[in-house]
Amino acid sequence: MSRIKEFNLPDLGEGLTEGEILAWLVKVGDTIELNQPIVEVETAKAAVEIPAKWAGVVTKIFHEAGVTVEVGQPIISIDTDPGAGSLPEPSAESLAAVEIAPSEGAVEPGMIGSPAPAAPGVGRTPVLVGYGVREASAKRRPRVTAPSAAPVAAAPAVATAPAPTVPPAAPVRSGPVLAKPPVRKLARDLGVDLATIAGTGPLGSVTRDDVHKAAEGAAKPAAKAAAAPVAVFDASREQRIPVKGVRKLTAENMVASAFTAPHVTEFLTVDVTRTMKALDKLKARPEFAELRISPLLMVAKAVLLAVKRHPMVNSSWSAATNEIVVKEYVNLGIAAATERGLIVPNVKDAGRLSLVELAEALNTLVRTAKSGKTPPADMAHGTLSITNVGVFGVDTGTPILPPGESVILAFGAIRPTPWVHKGKIKVRQVTTLGLSFDHRIIDGELGSKFLRDIGVFLTDPEAAILAWT
């Protein structure tokens, strides 16, 4: 059995087929242990550390950081018996044995060191759990390079471009020019060569009108050239950002959602002064002493209680079976902006949590998202979501539904605002909510009642909890 084991990019169980190598945690020559993290890989959903499948010494790293690798492609080779002495010179047979070792599985066709690409319609690409297989070889993104200046000989567009049409110049006189002294002075002042002018005066003499016409004719092309727009292109002053990983998946999901689910958005402005006072009371309680709590906690609780009153909003549309699937559990998604793009991890079965447990779960979710370590499982199977645009000072928005969900709530900034309270104008804490929903499932009445109940809770949370629970 060969000492050299090639470790392929594994199936991470996310339904994805590729990952970008962010950083190597080992280098060639390092001695590694079983299950020791060796590489950090970013998929379209998260960044994860992959552990070693064998102990031994690293003999080769196939791809540098920044390279996107297909699932099933080799990324590192390990000498699993370094104490057995020096490695023999590789032969064609040993290389072939390494490439197609049954214990490792066949590698993806079409990469260096792998079998020849399959013919169209033949072969299967390894994929991640739950998504089946793709036919034929994997597609590669075309490499985009900035255009550069080509040699003149290699630019047929320049060489074959038709020459601009230039009006023929008047023939240059061979003899003396007939013109009066004032006309000669005018020509000198206007920069006109008298020898190029066909005179229209007596005996072919040049007149003042002839000089003016010649000067105007010379000025028109120059004016047109000056007025022409100047094309500016400087590749060194452009930035190209590859669309991959989380940003790529987010873009694909948002386009699919926007053109699949008919979105409707409604807005509600709410006096949340009592909610802010209730938060102050919670912060003073010992069970919340170690927790960071914010208005988002109260909004999340309002959504969960409103779902109990209107369970149809917590559902999804199944085109495959032509059914509406109503969920009796709430996996509450919280949109989070990270360095790698927007992600929406969710709190599993949030409706069963107490207020303290919900606060703990939100704290953990936000902390993990900011660290870039959100596991793929935390982003799967969301049922409805909240996006807190208020943290950016934005009043509200028209959010796009995450795929498979029917409701998303935009929570805007809370501002001191003149408000009619008990018949008098007072300064109150006010926010605006924006609710987007899938109109195939939720009609205007249901969406309005759901949003209204969220607003009722935030207007007086203590009374709503007593009445609804």
Side-chain angles (χ1 to χ4, degrees):
M1 183 178 293
S2 174
R3 293 164 47 183
I4 305 300
K5 302 286 189 181
E6 287 187 356
F7 184 22
N8 300 336
L9 183 64
D11 178 339
L12 300 175
E14 304 172 57
L16 306 173
T17 59
E18 65 182 16
E20 179 190 354
I21 296 175
L22 293 180
W24 282 103
L25 308 179
V26 296
K27 61 183 182 297
V28 173
D30 283 357
T31 300
I32 60 176
E33 299 177 355
L34 179 65
N35 292 328
Q36 175 183 335
I38 57 174
V39 65
E40 186 179 16
V41 175
E42 181 185 33
T43 68
K45 293 186 177 180
V48 294
E49 290 182 351
I50 297 178
K53 191 174 180 180
W54 307 281
V57 174
V58 177
T59 60
K60 183 176 181 180
I61 290 176
F62 289 87
H63 306 282
E64 298 294 331
V67 175
T68 298
V69 182
E70 298 284 338
V71 168
Q73 290 298 314
I75 57 175
I76 191 172
S77 64
I78 300 170
D79 182 356
T80 58
D81 190 12
S86 300
L87 290 168
E89 290 295 324
S91 63
E93 291 79 6
S94 64
L95 288 176
V98 170
E99 290 171 0
I100 61 175
S103 61
E104 306 305 317
V107 296
E108 169 70 8
M111 292 292 286
I112 296 174
S114 65
V122 180
R124 296 158 69 86
T125 301
V127 297
L128 299 164
V129 172
Y131 281 74
V133 295
R134 296 183 301 171
E135 297 300 323
S137 61
K139 295 182 179 179
R140 304 294 197 272
R141 290 192 300 270
R143 184 180 299 277
V144 180
T145 56
S148 58
V152 172
V158 174
T160 60
T165 303
V166 179
V172 179
R173 294 172 180 270
S174 57
V177 177
L178 299 179
K180 296 180 180 180
V183 175
R184 292 180 182 277
K185 182 178 183 305
L186 176 64
R188 285 195 301 272
D189 292 342
L190 297 179
V192 176
D193 184 0
L194 289 175
T196 63
I197 300 176
T200 60
L203 302 178
S205 62
V206 178
T207 65
R208 295 178 66 89
D209 287 342
D210 296 335
V211 173
H212 281 299
K213 290 179 180 179
E216 291 173 1
K220 285 180 180 178
K224 290 181 180 178
V230 179
V232 177
F233 173 77
D234 185 355
S236 66
R237 294 165 62 190
E238 297 178 348
Q239 181 184 14
R240 293 176 180 265
I241 301 174
V243 180
K244 56 187 178 181
V246 173
R247 193 177 302 276
K248 178 182 177 182
L249 183 65
T250 300
E252 292 171 351
N253 284 342
M254 292 301 97
V255 170
S257 176
F259 289 97
T260 301
H263 287 57
V264 172
T265 305
E266 294 184 341
F267 305 97
L268 180 65
T269 303
V270 183
D271 176 2
V272 294
T273 306
R274 290 186 178 179
T275 287
M276 301 305 289
K277 291 179 179 178
L279 274 177
D280 291 337
K281 293 179 182 179
L282 290 178
K283 293 175 182 178
R285 296 185 63 86
E287 56 265 43
F288 289 92
E290 303 298 324
L291 297 173
R292 180 184 180 275
I293 59 176
S294 71
L296 178 61
L297 172 63
M298 304 302 286
V299 174
K301 189 63 177 178
V303 168
L304 293 171
L305 289 178
V307 167
K308 289 184 177 180
R309 295 167 64 84
H310 310 284
M312 181 64 80
V313 302
N314 189 45
S315 59
S316 62
W317 181 276
S318 174
T321 60
N322 199 30
E323 295 174 322
I324 295 173
V325 182
V326 182
K327 285 70 180 286
E328 295 181 0
Y329 54 90
V330 179
N331 293 340
L332 181 63
I334 306 294
T338 71
E339 292 182 357
R340 294 188 175 94
L342 178 70
I343 62 174
V344 189
N346 59 78
V347 178
K348 297 295 190 286
D349 213 356
R352 294 181 180 270
L353 302 180
S354 68
L355 196 59
V356 174
E357 292 170 335
L358 182 60
E360 291 173 343
L362 291 176
N363 272 234
T364 301
L365 180 148
V366 172
R367 183 170 58 250
T368 305
K370 287 183 177 179
S371 70
K373 302 297 184 181
T374 300
D378 283 1
M379 292 182 283
H381 309 298
T383 62
L384 55 81
S385 298
I386 299 172
T387 176
N388 186 6
V389 297
V391 295
F392 307 111
V394 175
D395 292 330
T396 191
T398 57
I400 294 178
L401 294 165
E405 299 182 20
S406 297
V407 163
I408 181 170
L409 179 74
F411 171 36
I414 298 174
R415 304 184 189 279
T417 306
W419 192 262
V420 177
H421 178 68
K422 295 182 179 179
K424 296 181 180 180
I425 296 179
K426 296 184 179 180
V427 175
R428 305 285 287 179
Q429 298 294 315
V430 175
T431 190
T432 300
L433 307 173
L435 182 74
S436 291
F437 51 87
D438 186 340
H439 214 347
R440 294 175 300 179
I441 302 172
I442 303 169
D443 58 21
E445 179 184 11
L446 177 57
S448 299
K449 288 181 176 179
F450 179 66
L451 182 58
R452 176 205 63 195
D453 283 356
I454 296 172
V456 168
F457 178 96
L458 295 176
T459 299
D460 193 347
E462 297 175 16
I465 287 177
L466 291 173
W468 298 353
T469 58

